[in-house]
Amino acid sequence: MQGATGLADFETDPDGIISTSGRFFAQIGLPPRAEPIKFAEWLEHVHPDDRQRLHEEVLRSMREDDQIEHEFRVVRADTGEVRWLVTHTAIERNEAGETVRCIGAHLDITDRKRTEEALREGEARLRAILDAMPDCVKIFDADARLVYINPRGLNLLEAPDLVSLNTSGH
């Protein structure tokens, strides 16, 4: 089933990560192993720029939440490649509210993140082109609401004759 879903599941107790799937290790570029991996050891594979934030978020979530969802990068041990993961985790507590177990899974979302970045870059290029055009460019949504007007269009709207027409209700 992991092959079909791409999920890398794990289980933790208060002492650390006690059970993992083979995909769990594959995602960080380590060979499968039978023995548990301590959270601190796993955290070493989290991208340095995300490590502290993720650690703090996990600790806070362990105290306050019943579910955890975090996006973060890992650096594969075998290739050095940076990959994006999202984790979904359910937290089990005892009667005193203390965390006794977590069950979760990681999913590699690198392709989605790359697509999102490509879309942002494309949008930025398009916006730069529209902003540089000497003509007024307006974009409306399906309900005929103005969602974009380029700088030239804004300059035209600020012209005294257009402003007086607009404020007179005509």
Side-chain angles (χ1 to χ4, degrees):
M1 177 149 100
Q2 289 177 10
T5 64
L7 293 174
D9 60 286
F10 59 91
E11 180 180 348
T12 71
D13 68 12
D15 295 325
I17 302 168
I18 59 170
S19 172
T20 62
S21 65
R23 186 175 292 272
F24 182 90
F25 290 106
Q27 284 180 336
I28 57 174
L30 293 175
R33 65 189 204 193
E35 69 273 4
I37 182 173
K38 292 290 186 186
F39 180 73
E41 181 184 350
W42 174 83
L43 198 59
E44 291 173 11
H45 297 281
V46 172
H47 192 281
D49 293 345
D50 296 346
R51 192 174 296 146
Q52 184 67 30
R53 173 191 55 85
L54 180 65
H55 188 232
E56 290 170 3
E57 288 176 0
V58 167
L59 290 176
R60 182 199 51 77
S61 294
M62 296 287 286
R63 287 188 312 268
E64 302 172 8
D65 302 322
D66 294 328
Q67 300 281 325
I68 299 173
E69 182 177 327
H70 299 289
E71 291 184 3
F72 56 94
R73 294 167 292 173
V74 294
V75 180
R76 290 182 54 95
D78 55 353
T79 64
E81 178 186 13
V82 175
R83 306 287 298 179
W84 277 94
L85 301 180
V86 62
T87 185
H88 296 275
T89 307
I91 300 172
E92 265 183 43
R93 300 183 189 285
N94 61 19
E95 299 79 30
E98 301 163 328
T99 300
V100 293
R101 183 169 82 138
C102 297
I103 299 174
H106 296 155
L107 180 65
D108 188 316
I109 58 169
T110 304
D111 292 339
R112 185 189 90 196
K113 288 293 199 174
R114 288 178 180 158
T115 300
E116 289 171 355
E117 181 59 28
L119 287 170
R120 277 190 297 277
E121 289 172 0
E123 182 180 347
R125 278 191 299 277
L126 178 59
R127 187 171 297 272
I129 291 168
L130 292 173
D131 287 352
M133 292 185 74
D135 298 320
C136 174
V137 177
K138 294 183 261 180
I139 300 174
F140 296 87
D141 67 12
D143 296 321
R145 290 183 297 234
L146 181 65
V147 294
Y148 171 83
I149 186 167
N150 70 340
R152 176 66 177 146
L154 287 172
N155 287 339
L156 288 173
L157 287 176
E158 290 177 2
D161 55 334
L162 290 177
V163 171
S164 66
L165 284 175
N166 192 32
T167 58
S168 68
H170 296 100

